[in-house]
Amino acid sequence: MSLTERLADFAGAVGGAATNAPDDYPEWSYATYETNMADIRQLWAEIFPKLKRDIEQAAFIDLKLLEAFAAFEAGEKDKGQLAMWDIYNLQVKKLR
């Protein structure tokens, strides 16, 4: 899978977390909080080493992911979702 495809998948996973995490995933969906967070972690681990040009944005995303995961674990849904929106609004599909 190309970097462009991985970035698109990452954007989708982050967007899903921004709207649904941790407890608003539709019952009909295959996505759960656990699978969504696992997808985000896996995709970011694959994307991060390939980014050459947007290093500052990558550092920001790292920080926001840590913030979101910690907030969700602490039961701070709004804070976690805001961190995910911060990532999504970077237009991550355009990172290089």
Side-chain angles (χ1 to χ4, degrees):
M1 191 180 291
S2 71
L3 177 59
T4 302
E5 292 168 321
R6 291 199 192 293
L7 285 166
D9 288 348
F10 181 71
V14 167
T19 20
N20 300 317
D23 56 2
D24 285 332
Y25 291 90
E27 289 184 27
W28 52 263
S29 174
Y30 70 91
T32 64
Y33 172 73
E34 292 78 14
T35 60
N36 192 204
M37 295 302 111
D39 287 348
I40 289 170
R41 284 183 175 103
Q42 178 184 355
L43 286 163
W44 186 242
E46 294 170 8
I47 291 166
F48 183 79
K50 295 179 180 178
L51 295 178
K52 305 292 184 211
R53 189 178 73 198
D54 295 320
I55 300 302
E56 288 180 22
Q57 287 92 336
F60 177 80
I61 291 169
D62 266 346
L63 179 65
K64 287 297 178 175
L65 285 174
L66 291 173
E67 184 180 317
F69 294 142
F72 290 141
E73 294 293 319
E76 298 174 341
K77 177 181 178 172
D78 291 340
K79 185 177 178 180
Q81 287 181 326
L82 285 174
M84 288 295 182
W85 280 120
D86 287 343
I87 295 168
Y88 186 82
N89 288 332
L90 280 178
Q91 298 182 344
V92 293
K93 289 189 249 181
K94 295 180 181 181
L95 295 176
R96 298 290 175 250

Coordinates of all heavy atoms in Angstrom, one line a residue:
M1 N 0.8 -1.2 0.0 CA 0.0 0.0 0.0 C 0.9 1.2 0.0 O 1.9 1.3 0.7 CB -0.9 0.0 1.2 CG -2.0 1.0 1.2 SD -3.1 1.0 2.7 CE -3.9 -0.6 2.5
S2 N 0.5 2.2 -0.8 CA 1.3 3.4 -0.9 C 1.1 4.4 0.3 O 0.2 4.2 1.0 CB 1.0 4.2 -2.2 OG -0.3 4.8 -2.1
L3 N 2.0 5.3 0.4 CA 1.9 6.3 1.5 C 0.6 7.1 1.3 O -0.1 7.3 2.3 CB 3.1 7.3 1.4 CG 3.1 8.4 2.4 CD1 3.0 7.9 3.9 CD2 4.3 9.3 2.3
T4 N 0.2 7.4 0.1 CA -1.0 8.1 -0.1 C -2.2 7.3 0.4 O -3.1 7.9 1.0 CB -1.2 8.5 -1.6 OG1 0.0 9.2 -2.0 CG2 -2.4 9.2 -1.9
E5 N -2.2 6.0 0.1 CA -3.3 5.2 0.5 C -3.3 5.1 2.1 O -4.4 5.1 2.7 CB -3.2 3.8 -0.1 CG -3.5 3.8 -1.6 CD -3.1 2.5 -2.3 OE1 -2.1 1.9 -1.9 OE2 -3.8 2.1 -3.2
R6 N -2.2 4.9 2.7 CA -2.1 4.8 4.1 C -2.5 6.2 4.8 O -3.2 6.1 5.8 CB -0.7 4.5 4.6 CG -0.3 3.1 4.2 CD 0.9 2.6 5.0 NE 1.5 1.4 4.5 CZ 0.9 0.2 4.5 NH1 -0.3 0.1 4.9 NH2 1.5 -0.9 4.0
L7 N -2.2 7.3 4.2 CA -2.6 8.6 4.7 C -4.1 8.7 4.7 O -4.8 9.2 5.6 CB -1.9 9.7 4.0 CG -0.4 9.9 4.4 CD1 0.2 10.8 3.4 CD2 -0.3 10.5 5.8
A8 N -4.7 8.3 3.6 CA -6.2 8.3 3.4 C -6.8 7.4 4.5 O -7.8 7.8 5.1 CB -6.6 7.9 2.0
D9 N -6.3 6.2 4.7 CA -6.8 5.4 5.7 C -6.7 6.0 7.1 O -7.6 5.9 8.0 CB -6.1 4.0 5.7 CG -6.5 3.1 4.5 OD1 -7.5 3.5 3.8 OD2 -5.9 2.1 4.3
F10 N -5.5 6.6 7.4 CA -5.3 7.2 8.6 C -6.3 8.4 8.9 O -6.8 8.5 10.0 CB -3.8 7.8 8.7 CG -3.4 8.4 10.0 CD1 -3.2 7.7 11.1 CD2 -3.2 9.8 10.0 CE1 -2.9 8.3 12.3 CE2 -2.8 10.4 11.2 CZ -2.7 9.6 12.4
A11 N -6.5 9.2 7.8 CA -7.4 10.3 8.0 C -8.8 9.8 8.3 O -9.5 10.3 9.1 CB -7.5 11.1 6.7
G12 N -9.2 8.7 7.6 CA -10.5 8.1 7.9 C -10.6 7.5 9.4 O -11.6 7.7 10.0
A13 N -9.6 6.9 9.8 CA -9.6 6.4 11.2 C -9.6 7.5 12.2 O -10.3 7.4 13.2 CB -8.3 5.5 11.4
V14 N -8.8 8.5 12.0 CA -8.8 9.7 12.9 C -10.2 10.4 12.9 O -10.7 10.8 13.9 CB -7.7 10.7 12.5 CG1 -7.8 12.0 13.2 CG2 -6.3 10.0 12.9
G15 N -10.8 10.5 11.7 CA -12.1 11.1 11.6 C -13.1 10.3 12.4 O -14.0 10.9 13.0
G16 N -13.0 9.0 12.3 CA -13.9 8.1 13.0 C -13.8 8.3 14.5 O -14.7 8.4 15.3
A17 N -12.5 8.4 15.0 CA -12.2 8.6 16.4 C -12.7 10.0 16.8 O -13.3 10.1 17.9 CB -10.8 8.5 16.7
A18 N -12.6 11.0 16.0 CA -13.0 12.4 16.4 C -14.5 12.4 16.6 O -15.0 13.2 17.4 CB -12.6 13.4 15.3
T19 N -15.3 11.6 15.8 CA -16.7 11.7 15.9 C -17.3 10.6 16.9 O -18.3 10.9 17.5 CB -17.4 11.5 14.6 OG1 -16.5 10.8 13.6 CG2 -17.9 12.7 14.0
N20 N -16.6 9.5 17.0 CA -17.2 8.3 17.7 C -16.5 7.9 19.0 O -17.2 7.3 19.8 CB -17.3 7.1 16.8 CG -18.1 7.4 15.6 OD1 -19.2 8.0 15.6 ND2 -17.6 7.0 14.4
A21 N -15.3 8.1 19.1 CA -14.5 7.6 20.3 C -14.9 8.3 21.6 O -15.3 9.5 21.5 CB -13.0 7.7 20.0
P22 N -14.9 7.6 22.6 CA -14.7 6.2 22.8 C -16.0 5.3 22.8 O -15.9 4.1 22.7 CB -14.0 6.1 24.1 CG -14.6 7.2 24.9 CD -14.9 8.3 23.9
D23 N -17.2 6.0 22.8 CA -18.3 5.2 23.1 C -19.5 5.4 22.2 O -20.6 5.0 22.5 CB -18.8 5.3 24.5 CG -19.0 6.8 24.9 OD1 -18.9 7.7 24.0 OD2 -19.3 7.1 26.1
D24 N -19.3 6.1 21.0 CA -20.4 6.4 20.1 C -20.4 5.7 18.8 O -20.9 6.2 17.8 CB -20.5 7.9 19.9 CG -21.1 8.6 21.1 OD1 -21.9 8.1 21.9 OD2 -20.7 9.8 21.3
Y25 N -19.6 4.6 18.7 CA -19.6 3.8 17.5 C -20.9 3.2 17.2 O -21.5 2.6 18.1 CB -18.5 2.7 17.6 CG -17.1 3.3 17.6 CD1 -16.5 3.7 18.8 CD2 -16.4 3.6 16.5 CE1 -15.2 4.2 18.9 CE2 -15.1 4.2 16.5 CZ -14.6 4.5 17.7 OH -13.3 5.1 17.8
P26 N -21.4 3.3 15.9 CA -22.7 2.7 15.6 C -22.7 1.2 15.8 O -21.6 0.5 15.6 CB -22.9 3.0 14.1 CG -21.8 4.0 13.8 CD -20.8 3.9 14.8
E27 N -23.7 0.6 16.3 CA -23.8 -0.8 16.5 C -23.7 -1.6 15.3 O -23.2 -2.7 15.3 CB -25.2 -1.1 17.2 CG -25.2 -0.7 18.6 CD -26.5 -1.1 19.3 OE1 -27.1 -2.1 18.9 OE2 -26.9 -0.4 20.2
W28 N -24.1 -1.1 14.1 CA -24.0 -1.8 12.9 C -22.6 -1.8 12.3 O -22.3 -2.5 11.4 CB -25.0 -1.2 11.8 CG -24.8 0.3 11.7 CD1 -25.6 1.2 12.2 CD2 -23.8 1.0 10.8 NE1 -25.1 2.5 11.9 CE2 -24.1 2.4 11.0 CE3 -22.8 0.5 10.0 CZ2 -23.3 3.3 10.4 CZ3 -22.1 1.5 9.4 CH2 -22.3 2.9 9.5
S29 N -21.7 -1.0 12.8 CA -20.4 -0.8 12.3 C -19.4 -1.9 12.8 O -19.6 -2.4 13.9 CB -19.8 0.5 12.6 OG -18.5 0.7 12.2
Y30 N -18.5 -2.3 11.9 CA -17.5 -3.2 12.4 C -16.5 -2.6 13.3 O -15.7 -3.2 14.0 CB -16.7 -3.9 11.2 CG -15.9 -2.9 10.4 CD1 -14.5 -2.7 10.8 CD2 -16.4 -2.1 9.4 CE1 -13.7 -1.8 10.1 CE2 -15.6 -1.1 8.8 CZ -14.3 -1.0 9.1 OH -13.5 -0.1 8.5
A31 N -16.4 -1.2 13.2 CA -15.4 -0.5 14.0 C -15.9 -0.4 15.5 O -17.0 -0.1 15.8 CB -15.2 0.9 13.5
T32 N -14.9 -0.6 16.3 CA -15.1 -0.4 17.8 C -14.0 0.5 18.2 O -13.1 0.8 17.5 CB -15.0 -1.7 18.6 OG1 -13.7 -2.2 18.4 CG2 -16.1 -2.7 18.1
Y33 N -14.1 1.0 19.4 CA -13.1 1.9 20.0 C -11.7 1.1 19.9 O -10.7 1.7 19.4 CB -13.4 2.2 21.4 CG -12.3 2.9 22.1 CD1 -12.0 4.3 21.8 CD2 -11.5 2.3 23.1 CE1 -10.9 4.9 22.5 CE2 -10.5 2.9 23.7 CZ -10.2 4.3 23.4 OH -9.2 4.9 24.0
E34 N -11.7 -0.1 20.3 CA -10.4 -0.9 20.3 C -9.9 -1.0 18.9 O -8.7 -0.9 18.7 CB -10.7 -2.2 21.0 CG -11.0 -2.2 22.5 CD -12.4 -1.8 22.8 OE1 -13.3 -1.8 21.9 OE2 -12.6 -1.4 24.0
T35 N -10.7 -1.4 18.0 CA -10.2 -1.6 16.6 C -9.8 -0.3 16.0 O -8.8 -0.2 15.3 CB -11.2 -2.3 15.7 OG1 -12.4 -1.6 15.6 CG2 -11.5 -3.7 16.2
N36 N -10.5 0.8 16.3 CA -10.2 2.1 15.7 C -8.8 2.6 16.2 O -8.0 3.1 15.5 CB -11.3 3.1 16.0 CG -11.2 4.4 15.2 OD1 -11.8 5.4 15.7 ND2 -10.6 4.4 14.1
M37 N -8.6 2.5 17.5 CA -7.4 2.9 18.1 C -6.2 2.0 17.6 O -5.1 2.6 17.3 CB -7.4 2.9 19.7 CG -8.4 3.8 20.3 SD -8.2 5.6 19.9 CE -9.6 5.9 18.8
A38 N -6.4 0.8 17.5 CA -5.4 -0.1 17.0 C -5.0 0.2 15.5 O -3.8 0.3 15.2 CB -5.8 -1.6 17.0
D39 N -6.0 0.6 14.7 CA -5.8 1.0 13.3 C -5.0 2.3 13.3 O -4.0 2.4 12.5 CB -7.1 1.2 12.6 CG -7.8 -0.1 12.2 OD1 -7.2 -1.2 12.3 OD2 -9.0 0.0 11.8
I40 N -5.4 3.2 14.1 CA -4.6 4.5 14.2 C -3.2 4.3 14.5 O -2.3 4.8 13.9 CB -5.3 5.5 15.1 CG1 -6.7 6.0 14.5 CG2 -4.4 6.7 15.4 CD1 -7.5 6.7 15.5
R41 N -2.9 3.5 15.6 CA -1.6 3.2 16.0 C -0.8 2.5 14.9 O 0.4 2.9 14.6 CB -1.6 2.4 17.3 CG -1.9 3.1 18.5 CD -1.8 2.2 19.7 NE -2.1 3.0 20.9 CZ -3.2 2.9 21.6 NH1 -4.2 2.2 21.2 NH2 -3.3 3.7 22.7
Q42 N -1.3 1.5 14.3 CA -0.6 0.8 13.3 C -0.3 1.6 12.0 O 0.8 1.6 11.5 CB -1.4 -0.5 12.8 CG -0.8 -1.2 11.7 CD -1.6 -2.4 11.2 OE1 -2.7 -2.7 11.8 NE2 -1.2 -3.1 10.2
L43 N -1.3 2.4 11.6 CA -1.1 3.2 10.4 C -0.1 4.3 10.7 O 0.8 4.5 9.8 CB -2.5 3.9 10.0 CG -3.5 2.9 9.3 CD1 -4.9 3.5 9.3 CD2 -3.0 2.6 7.9
W44 N -0.2 4.9 11.8 CA 0.8 6.0 12.2 C 2.2 5.4 12.2 O 3.2 6.0 11.8 CB 0.4 6.7 13.4 CG 1.3 7.9 13.7 CD1 2.2 8.1 14.7 CD2 1.5 9.0 12.8 NE1 2.9 9.3 14.6 CE2 2.5 9.8 13.4 CE3 1.0 9.4 11.6 CZ2 2.9 11.0 12.8 CZ3 1.4 10.6 11.0 CH2 2.3 11.4 11.6
A45 N 2.4 4.2 12.8 CA 3.7 3.6 12.9 C 4.2 3.3 11.5 O 5.5 3.4 11.3 CB 3.6 2.3 13.6
E46 N 3.4 3.0 10.5 CA 3.8 2.8 9.1 C 4.1 4.1 8.4 O 5.0 4.2 7.6 CB 2.7 2.0 8.4 CG 2.6 0.6 8.9 CD 1.4 -0.1 8.3 OE1 0.7 0.4 7.4 OE2 1.0 -1.2 8.8
I47 N 3.3 5.2 8.7 CA 3.4 6.4 8.0 C 4.6 7.3 8.5 O 5.3 7.8 7.7 CB 2.1 7.2 8.2 CG1 0.9 6.6 7.4 CG2 2.3 8.7 7.8 CD1 -0.4 7.1 7.8
F48 N 4.7 7.4 9.8 CA 5.7 8.3 10.4 C 7.1 8.1 9.8 O 7.7 9.2 9.4 CB 5.8 8.1 11.9 CG 6.7 9.0 12.6 CD1 6.3 10.3 12.8 CD2 7.9 8.6 13.0 CE1 7.2 11.2 13.4 CE2 8.8 9.5 13.6 CZ 8.4 10.8 13.8
P49 N 7.7 7.0 9.7 CA 9.0 6.9 9.1 C 9.2 7.3 7.6 O 10.3 7.6 7.2 CB 9.4 5.4 9.3 CG 8.3 4.7 9.9 CD 7.2 5.7 10.1
K50 N 8.0 7.3 6.9 CA 8.1 7.7 5.5 C 7.9 9.2 5.2 O 8.1 9.6 4.1 CB 7.0 6.9 4.8 CG 7.2 5.4 4.8 CD 6.1 4.7 4.1 CE 6.4 3.2 4.2 NZ 5.4 2.4 3.6
L51 N 7.6 9.9 6.3 CA 7.4 11.4 6.1 C 8.8 12.0 6.0 O 9.6 11.9 6.9 CB 6.6 12.0 7.2 CG 5.1 11.5 7.3 CD1 4.4 12.1 8.5 CD2 4.4 11.8 6.0
K52 N 9.0 12.8 5.0 CA 10.3 13.4 4.8 C 10.1 15.0 4.9 O 11.0 15.6 5.4 CB 10.9 13.1 3.4 CG 11.0 11.6 3.1 CD 12.0 11.0 4.0 CE 12.2 9.5 3.7 NZ 12.6 8.7 4.7
R53 N 9.1 15.5 4.3 CA 8.9 16.9 4.2 C 8.2 17.5 5.4 O 8.5 18.7 5.8 CB 8.2 17.2 2.9 CG 8.1 18.7 2.6 CD 7.4 18.9 1.3 NE 6.0 18.7 1.5 CZ 5.1 18.5 0.5 NH1 5.5 18.4 -0.7 NH2 3.8 18.3 0.8
D54 N 7.2 16.9 5.9 CA 6.3 17.4 7.0 C 6.7 17.0 8.4 O 5.8 16.5 9.1 CB 4.9 17.1 6.6 CG 4.4 17.8 5.3 OD1 4.8 18.9 5.1 OD2 3.7 17.1 4.5
I55 N 7.9 17.1 8.7 CA 8.4 16.7 10.0 C 7.7 17.4 11.2 O 7.4 16.8 12.2 CB 10.0 16.8 10.1 CG1 10.6 16.0 9.0 CG2 10.5 16.4 11.5 CD1 10.3 14.5 9.0
E56 N 7.5 18.7 11.1 CA 6.9 19.4 12.2 C 5.5 19.0 12.4 O 5.0 18.8 13.5 CB 6.9 20.9 11.9 CG 8.3 21.5 12.0 CD 8.3 23.0 11.7 OE1 7.3 23.7 11.8 OE2 9.4 23.5 11.4
Q57 N 4.7 18.7 11.3 CA 3.4 18.2 11.4 C 3.4 16.8 12.1 O 2.5 16.5 12.8 CB 2.6 18.2 10.1 CG 2.3 19.6 9.6 CD 3.3 20.2 8.7 OE1 4.5 19.8 8.8 NE2 2.9 21.1 7.9
A58 N 4.4 16.0 11.7 CA 4.5 14.7 12.3 C 4.7 14.7 13.8 O 4.0 14.0 14.5 CB 5.6 13.9 11.6
A59 N 5.5 15.6 14.3 CA 5.7 15.8 15.7 C 4.5 16.3 16.4 O 4.1 15.8 17.5 CB 6.9 16.8 15.9
F60 N 3.7 17.2 15.7 CA 2.4 17.6 16.3 C 1.4 16.5 16.4 O 0.7 16.3 17.4 CB 1.9 18.7 15.4 CG 0.5 19.2 15.8 CD1 0.4 20.2 16.8 CD2 -0.6 18.8 15.1 CE1 -0.8 20.6 17.2 CE2 -1.9 19.3 15.5 CZ -2.0 20.2 16.6
I61 N 1.4 15.6 15.3 CA 0.5 14.5 15.3 C 0.9 13.5 16.5 O 0.0 13.0 17.2 CB 0.5 13.8 14.0 CG1 -0.2 14.7 12.9 CG2 -0.2 12.4 14.0 CD1 0.0 14.2 11.5
D62 N 2.2 13.2 16.6 CA 2.6 12.4 17.7 C 2.1 12.9 19.1 O 1.5 12.1 19.9 CB 4.1 12.3 17.8 CG 4.7 11.2 17.0 OD1 4.0 10.2 16.7 OD2 5.9 11.2 16.8
L63 N 2.2 14.2 19.3 CA 1.8 14.8 20.5 C 0.3 14.7 20.7 O -0.2 14.3 21.8 CB 2.3 16.3 20.6 CG 1.9 17.1 21.8 CD1 2.6 16.5 23.0 CD2 2.2 18.5 21.6
K64 N -0.4 15.0 19.7 CA -1.9 14.9 19.7 C -2.4 13.5 19.9 O -3.4 13.3 20.6 CB -2.5 15.6 18.5 CG -2.4 17.1 18.5 CD -3.1 17.7 19.7 CE -3.0 19.2 19.8 NZ -3.9 19.7 20.9
L65 N -1.7 12.5 19.3 CA -2.2 11.2 19.5 C -2.0 10.8 21.0 O -2.9 10.1 21.6 CB -1.4 10.2 18.6 CG -1.8 10.2 17.1 CD1 -0.8 9.3 16.3 CD2 -3.2 9.7 16.9
L66 N -0.8 11.1 21.5 CA -0.6 10.8 23.0 C -1.7 11.5 23.8 O -2.2 10.9 24.8 CB 0.8 11.3 23.4 CG 2.0 10.5 22.8 CD1 3.3 11.2 23.2 CD2 1.9 9.0 23.4
E67 N -2.0 12.7 23.5 CA -3.0 13.5 24.2 C -4.4 12.8 24.1 O -5.1 12.7 25.1 CB -3.0 14.9 23.7 CG -4.0 15.8 24.4 CD -4.0 17.2 23.8 OE1 -2.9 17.7 23.5 OE2 -5.1 17.8 23.6
A68 N -4.7 12.4 22.9 CA -6.0 11.8 22.7 C -6.1 10.4 23.4 O -7.1 10.2 24.1 CB -6.3 11.6 21.2
F69 N -5.1 9.6 23.3 CA -5.2 8.3 23.9 C -5.3 8.4 25.4 O -6.0 7.7 26.1 CB -4.0 7.4 23.5 CG -3.9 7.1 22.1 CD1 -2.7 7.0 21.4 CD2 -5.1 6.7 21.4 CE1 -2.7 6.7 20.0 CE2 -5.0 6.4 20.0 CZ -3.8 6.3 19.4
A70 N -4.5 9.4 26.0 CA -4.5 9.6 27.4 C -5.9 10.1 27.9 O -6.4 9.7 28.9 CB -3.4 10.5 27.8
A71 N -6.4 11.0 27.1 CA -7.7 11.6 27.5 C -8.8 10.5 27.4 O -9.6 10.4 28.3 CB -8.1 12.7 26.5
F72 N -8.8 9.7 26.4 CA -9.8 8.6 26.3 C -9.7 7.7 27.5 O -10.7 7.2 28.1 CB -9.7 7.9 25.0 CG -10.2 8.7 23.7 CD1 -9.5 8.6 22.6 CD2 -11.3 9.5 23.8 CE1 -9.9 9.3 21.4 CE2 -11.7 10.3 22.7 CZ -11.0 10.1 21.5
E73 N -8.5 7.3 27.8 CA -8.2 6.4 28.9 C -8.7 7.0 30.2 O -9.1 6.2 31.1 CB -6.8 6.0 29.0 CG -6.2 5.2 27.8 CD -6.8 3.8 27.7 OE1 -7.0 3.1 28.8 OE2 -7.2 3.4 26.6
A74 N -8.6 8.3 30.4 CA -9.0 9.0 31.6 C -10.5 9.3 31.6 O -11.0 9.9 32.6 CB -8.2 10.2 31.8
G75 N -11.2 8.9 30.6 CA -12.6 9.2 30.5 C -12.9 10.7 30.1 O -14.1 11.1 30.3
E76 N -12.0 11.3 29.5 CA -12.2 12.7 29.0 C -12.5 12.7 27.5 O -11.6 13.1 26.7 CB -10.9 13.5 29.4 CG -10.7 13.6 30.9 CD -9.4 14.3 31.2 OE1 -8.5 14.4 30.3 OE2 -9.2 14.8 32.3
K77 N -13.7 12.3 27.2 CA -14.1 12.1 25.8 C -13.9 13.4 25.0 O -13.3 13.3 23.9 CB -15.5 11.7 25.8 CG -16.1 11.6 24.4 CD -17.6 11.1 24.5 CE -18.2 11.0 23.2 NZ -19.6 10.5 23.3
D78 N -14.4 14.5 25.5 CA -14.3 15.8 24.7 C -12.9 16.1 24.4 O -12.5 16.5 23.3 CB -15.0 16.9 25.4 CG -16.5 16.8 25.5 OD1 -17.1 16.0 24.7 OD2 -17.1 17.4 26.4
K79 N -12.0 16.0 25.4 CA -10.6 16.4 25.2 C -9.9 15.4 24.1 O -9.2 15.9 23.3 CB -9.8 16.3 26.5 CG -8.4 16.7 26.4 CD -7.7 16.7 27.8 CE -6.3 17.1 27.7 NZ -5.6 17.0 29.0
G80 N -10.2 14.2 24.2 CA -9.7 13.2 23.2 C -10.2 13.5 21.8 O -9.4 13.4 20.9
Q81 N -11.5 13.8 21.7 CA -12.0 14.0 20.4 C -11.5 15.3 19.8 O -11.2 15.4 18.6 CB -13.6 14.1 20.5 CG -14.2 12.7 20.6 CD -15.7 12.8 20.7 OE1 -16.3 13.7 21.2 NE2 -16.3 11.7 20.2
L82 N -11.3 16.3 20.7 CA -10.7 17.6 20.2 C -9.3 17.3 19.7 O -8.9 17.9 18.6 CB -10.7 18.6 21.3 CG -12.0 19.3 21.6 CD1 -11.9 20.2 22.8 CD2 -12.5 20.1 20.4
A83 N -8.5 16.5 20.3 CA -7.1 16.2 19.9 C -7.2 15.5 18.5 O -6.4 15.8 17.6 CB -6.4 15.4 20.9
M84 N -8.2 14.6 18.3 CA -8.3 13.9 17.1 C -8.7 14.9 16.0 O -8.2 14.8 14.8 CB -9.3 12.8 17.2 CG -8.8 11.6 17.9 SD -7.4 10.8 17.1 CE -7.1 9.4 18.2
W85 N -9.6 15.8 16.3 CA -10.0 16.8 15.3 C -8.8 17.7 14.9 O -8.6 18.1 13.7 CB -11.1 17.7 15.8 CG -12.5 17.1 15.6 CD1 -13.4 16.8 16.6 CD2 -13.1 16.7 14.4 NE1 -14.5 16.2 16.1 CE2 -14.4 16.1 14.8 CE3 -12.7 16.7 13.1 CZ2 -15.2 15.6 13.8 CZ3 -13.6 16.1 12.1 CH2 -14.8 15.6 12.5
D86 N -7.9 18.0 15.9 CA -6.7 18.8 15.6 C -5.9 18.1 14.5 O -5.3 18.7 13.6 CB -5.9 19.0 16.9 CG -6.5 20.0 17.8 OD1 -7.4 20.8 17.3 OD2 -6.1 20.1 19.0
I87 N -5.8 16.8 14.7 CA -5.0 16.0 13.7 C -5.7 16.0 12.4 O -5.1 16.2 11.3 CB -4.8 14.5 14.2 CG1 -4.0 14.5 15.5 CG2 -4.2 13.6 13.1 CD1 -4.0 13.1 16.2
Y88 N -7.0 15.7 12.4 CA -7.7 15.6 11.1 C -7.7 16.9 10.4 O -7.6 16.9 9.1 CB -9.2 15.2 11.4 CG -10.0 14.9 10.2 CD1 -9.9 13.7 9.6 CD2 -10.8 15.9 9.7 CE1 -10.7 13.5 8.4 CE2 -11.6 15.7 8.5 CZ -11.5 14.5 7.9 OH -12.2 14.2 6.8
N89 N -7.8 18.0 11.1 CA -7.8 19.3 10.4 C -6.5 19.7 9.8 O -6.4 20.7 9.1 CB -8.4 20.4 11.4 CG -9.8 20.2 11.6 OD1 -10.6 19.7 10.8 ND2 -10.3 20.6 12.8
L90 N -5.5 19.0 10.1 CA -4.2 19.2 9.4 C -4.2 18.8 7.9 O -3.2 19.0 7.2 CB -3.1 18.4 10.1 CG -2.5 19.0 11.3 CD1 -1.4 18.0 11.9 CD2 -1.9 20.3 11.1
Q91 N -5.3 18.2 7.5 CA -5.4 17.6 6.2 C -4.3 16.6 6.0 O -3.5 16.7 5.1 CB -5.4 18.7 5.1 CG -6.5 19.6 5.2 CD -6.5 20.7 4.2 OE1 -5.6 20.9 3.5 NE2 -7.7 21.3 4.0
V92 N -4.3 15.6 6.9 CA -3.3 14.6 6.9 C -3.1 13.8 5.6 O -2.0 13.3 5.3 CB -3.4 13.5 8.0 CG1 -3.3 14.2 9.4 CG2 -4.8 12.9 8.0
K93 N -4.1 13.8 4.7 CA -4.0 13.1 3.4 C -2.9 13.8 2.6 O -2.4 13.2 1.6 CB -5.3 13.1 2.7 CG -6.3 12.2 3.3 CD -7.5 12.0 2.4 CE -8.7 12.7 3.0 NZ -9.9 12.6 2.1
K94 N -2.6 15.0 2.9 CA -1.6 15.8 2.1 C -0.2 15.7 2.6 O 0.7 16.3 2.0 CB -2.1 17.2 1.9 CG -3.4 17.4 1.2 CD -3.8 18.9 1.1 CE -5.1 19.0 0.4 NZ -5.5 20.4 0.3
L95 N 0.0 15.1 3.7 CA 1.4 15.0 4.3 C 2.3 14.3 3.3 O 1.9 13.4 2.6 CB 1.4 14.3 5.6 CG 0.6 15.0 6.8 CD1 0.7 14.1 8.0 CD2 1.2 16.3 7.1
R96 N 3.6 14.6 3.4 CA 4.6 14.0 2.5 C 5.9 13.9 3.3 O 6.3 14.6 4.0 CB 4.9 14.7 1.2 CG 3.6 14.8 0.4 CD 3.3 13.4 -0.2 NE 2.0 13.5 -0.9 CZ 0.9 12.9 -0.5 NH1 0.8 12.2 0.6 NH2 -0.2 13.0 -1.2

